[in-house]
Amino acid sequence: MSSQITTTRKVMLKHMLTAILFLHYPTFAKESVLIENVTVVSSHLQEPLLKAHVLISDGRIKTVSSSKIEKTFDVQVIDGTALYLAPGIMDSHVHVSSIPGMGFGVEPVAQKNEALAEEYYKQQPYSFLYYGITQVVDPNPGLEWKKFTASGIHPDYYRCEVITSRSTFPLVEKNDELSKSMFSYIVEQDVAETALNSPEQIGKRIAESGASCIKIYFEDGYGDESQWPLLSDDTLKRIRKSASQHKLPLVAHANALDMYQRAIDAEVDVIAHGLWNWGEFSRENEVSKSMHGVLNQLMSKSTGYMPTQRVIAGLGELMLHNSHGVSEYSKVTPEELIEWYKQPSAQWFKEELRAGFDGLPDEVIARIFLKDRVGKGNKILKILTEADYPLLLGSDFPGSPSFSNQPGLTTFLEMKAMADAGVSLTAILSAATINNARQFNIDEDYGTVEVGKVANLLLLEQNPLNTVDAWSNIHHIILHGEVFNRSDFAADTIANKSLQRTSR
């Protein structure tokens, strides 16, 4: 009992000292920041701007100049020599209410481990910032998203709201009332426009809620199964019309060929998953003529495409030995949660995957995900890349209850996966910055290093047009004009500072 009390006190003290740590940062946003002699890397430039001088004031970029800028007494000066200034990363597909290894906070495993879940929620915003993610879009916010925005320092947060019905995915999949409670917009089909839960009235309420987009699901069953109904064509048309009326992008969950066709027919703005389930062509090694036709439709309608390869990779990596022992986790994951991943109770989702594959050996299941399905996604990505089609960076973090995807790190690994698939570093820069901003109608504020835009920026130690690893070699994170050392956001740094203060 005494050890439990000691652990509880330690956790409480850690949270208190973490709050003190960030409350006492100098408020640079109220001052000016001048970055001198830096190389600016931004998608609106044909080539990097060398020896630039960038002035930030009131949280926005005031000047970008090749000439020196006169210093004032209240300006914070940063020597940008040998550094690269880039826009902050935008991940347009994350789920901040979902805990790696547990699922959404209202689901059974998270409910059984509430203390661990709360530890995770407190660290999560800092973990995204540790990897330079300064804006996120959450297409399914669940019920815990306000814990993310309640943090004193967090990436700028945008959310969709989900429209589903009682008979369609994802609501139909939930087995308990608490899990079902995360869905607030339950559409009724074949009702008048004035009905409370009509597509029209739900679209209006979502717009009034402050959401930035609407999400709908095209999922009739996992893998080759097709037991779940979809929303009717008429309901989809009405949702599309309502979304347009309220200027809300319409985002679709789809990853199978037939579901892609349904989403494209429904005139969605974004398909938030890569096409890794080839349906009737699943045993083929090359992209069929029919699949080329679907991709041509996607491109002709300028539908946004997120590869989301980390969804599949996270499933495969979970089946590998010691999948919880990744060294990078210490920077983004609370130590207590990492320790839980080692326990038998944390292997529940791995057991579900084993059962779903009829007891195949773990290494075979891993290969199915990491070689076959990732490989199929890469072949689709190659076609779009060769067509110079603009991509969107979206990791779908965590993508599943797998603990192989962790906040921030997953976004960086998604960028690496794009590079491994042959996407150019220039295209990755655009996917992570301006493409996402344009797709979600916030490019007036984000996406490039230009005068007037929000000063969510990264100072990198390498040129991101030379190596994708530059996105992980971060010197400083700038959030609304405030300058932070990367290490200040690391989970183990925060814990160590708490321990140091405890010993005094």
Side-chain angles (χ1 to χ4, degrees):
M1 184 65 157
S2 61
S3 63
Q4 183 178 2
I5 293 172
T6 301
T7 301
T8 302
R9 285 175 177 169
K10 178 180 174 182
V11 169
M12 289 176 65
L13 186 59
K14 174 181 169 182
H15 290 164
M16 181 177 69
L17 293 173
T18 299
I20 292 171
L21 172 67
F22 286 109
L23 283 172
H24 284 78
Y25 269 114
T27 312
F28 294 141
K30 293 181 180 178
E31 301 176 337
S32 295
V33 177
L34 177 59
I35 307 170
E36 297 185 315
N37 297 309
V38 73
T39 298
V40 175
V41 180
S42 179
S43 291
H44 77 288
L45 300 171
Q46 291 187 346
E47 57 185 24
L49 180 62
L50 306 178
K51 295 183 178 180
H53 303 269
V54 179
L55 179 65
I56 298 166
S57 183
D58 297 323
R60 290 186 178 265
I61 301 170
K62 294 300 182 183
T63 308
V64 179
S65 176
S66 297
S67 304
K68 285 193 174 184
I69 298 172
E70 183 179 351
K71 304 180 185 70
T72 58
F73 74 93
D74 61 344
V75 70
Q76 177 196 7
V77 180
I78 297 175
D79 182 6
T81 304
L83 297 176
Y84 300 84
L85 185 67
I89 296 167
M90 179 172 172
D91 190 331
S92 57
H93 194 161
V94 307
H95 300 286
V96 303
S97 288
S98 188
I99 304 144
M102 295 185 185
F104 281 80
V106 295
E107 293 183 303
V109 178
Q111 288 294 303
K112 290 177 183 177
N113 297 276
E114 286 188 77
L116 288 175
E118 289 304 315
E119 280 287 290
Y120 168 79
Y121 284 137
K122 287 179 172 65
Q123 173 60 38
Q124 183 184 202
Y126 306 145
S127 297
F128 279 109
L129 290 168
Y130 180 84
Y131 273 97
I133 296 100
T134 56
Q135 299 92 241
V136 297
V137 177
D138 188 341
N140 184 354
L143 297 179
E144 288 80 15
W145 64 271
K146 289 185 180 179
K147 293 178 180 177
F148 187 87
T149 57
S151 171
I153 299 170
H154 58 82
D156 293 346
Y157 179 81
Y158 296 86
R159 61 182 167 87
C160 304
E161 288 291 350
V162 172
I163 297 180
T164 186
S165 78
R166 298 193 183 282
S167 63
T168 58
F169 182 88
L171 186 61
V172 71
E173 182 200 35
K174 304 305 178 185
N175 297 318
D176 62 277
E177 291 304 313
L178 189 56
S179 296
K180 292 177 182 178
S181 70
M182 75 174 78
F183 301 105
S184 303
Y185 300 98
I186 313 300
V187 71
E188 293 181 15
Q189 306 189 70
D190 302 320
V191 296
E193 290 186 13
T194 55
L196 179 65
N197 286 332
S198 69
E200 293 77 14
Q201 294 303 313
I202 284 180
K204 181 175 182 289
R205 293 205 304 276
I206 289 175
E208 291 172 347
S209 79
S212 300
C213 42
I214 291 173
K215 184 176 183 180
I216 53 178
Y217 285 79
F218 294 85
E219 182 69 78
D220 62 357
Y222 294 137
D224 296 328
E225 297 180 355
S226 56
Q227 74 275 30
W228 298 322
L230 301 174
L231 295 172
S232 70
D233 289 343
D234 180 63
T235 299
L236 291 170
K237 288 179 182 177
R238 293 170 69 181
I239 292 173
R240 171 68 275 177
K241 183 178 179 180
S242 182
S244 297
Q245 180 182 349
H246 296 290
K247 298 181 180 179
L248 296 174
L250 187 58
V251 178
H253 164 103
N255 58 62
L257 181 61
D258 55 343
M259 298 297 100
Y260 252 62
Q261 185 65 68
R262 290 292 300 271
I264 291 169
D265 290 344
E267 303 286 344
V268 302
D269 297 301
V270 180
I271 299 181
H273 282 293
L275 178 55
W276 59 67
N277 184 345
W278 290 8
E280 62 182 297
F281 306 104
S282 61
R283 296 187 180 276
E284 297 189 13
N285 292 321
E286 300 303 325
V287 179
S288 68
K289 183 177 180 180
S290 297
M291 295 175 69
H292 272 284
V294 171
L295 293 177
N296 286 337
Q297 291 179 58
L298 179 140
M299 289 187 282
S300 68
K301 294 187 176 185
S302 300
T303 306
Y305 183 89
M306 300 179 192
T308 61
Q309 291 290 62
R310 282 302 307 174
V311 178
I312 298 302
L315 294 171
E317 290 169 5
L318 182 66
M319 307 309 296
L320 300 176
H321 178 66
N322 197 33
S323 56
H324 55 266
V326 178
S327 60
E328 288 86 351
Y329 288 3
S330 66
K331 299 297 182 183
V332 295
T333 312
E335 182 181 0
E336 299 89 344
L337 190 56
I338 295 174
E339 288 301 312
W340 181 74
Y341 292 151
K342 302 174 185 178
Q343 306 306 314
S345 60
Q347 313 311 312
W348 65 276
F349 186 59
K350 184 182 290 189
E351 293 297 334
E352 285 190 6
L353 287 178
R354 286 172 179 149
F357 282 90
D358 298 322
L360 284 175
D362 289 355
E363 60 271 19
V364 175
I365 300 173
R367 187 166 65 248
I368 289 171
F369 285 119
L370 295 172
K371 184 177 180 181
D372 179 58
R373 296 188 185 174
V374 167
K376 283 180 165 54
N378 283 343
K379 288 179 179 179
I380 299 297
L381 195 50
K382 181 180 179 183
I383 291 171
L384 296 175
T385 298
E386 289 177 347
D388 200 26
Y389 193 70
L391 304 170
L392 305 175
L393 175 64
S395 64
D396 188 23
F397 162 80
S400 73
S402 169
F403 51 68
S404 294
N405 283 332
Q406 293 292 326
L409 174 61
T410 300
T411 307
F412 172 61
L413 293 177
E414 182 71 28
M415 298 170 82
K416 292 199 75 169
M418 294 170 74
D420 291 342
V423 180
S424 72
L425 296 174
T426 299
I428 291 172
L429 168 65
S430 295
T433 57
I434 190 59
N435 292 358
N436 272 336
R438 285 175 179 156
Q439 187 70 67
F440 289 91
N441 304 321
I442 54 175
D443 51 306
E444 287 189 5
D445 287 326
Y446 304 100
T448 55
V449 184
E450 291 184 90
V451 171
K453 295 204 174 184
V454 173
N456 284 2
L457 305 165
L458 303 178
L459 275 167
L460 306 174
E461 296 176 358
Q462 293 175 284
N463 188 344
L465 299 180
N466 290 340
T467 174
V468 71
D469 289 327
W471 294 105
S472 184
N473 290 317
I474 301 172
H475 196 268
H476 285 103
I477 297 105
I478 303 173
L479 188 68
H480 287 263
E482 292 192 50
V483 182
F484 299 95
N485 293 319
R486 187 190 195 195
S487 61
D488 289 327
F489 295 122
D492 56 358
T493 298
I494 292 171
N496 288 336
K497 286 184 177 180
S498 298
L499 290 173
Q500 289 167 12
R501 297 207 179 194
T502 303
S503 65
R504 291 177 184 175

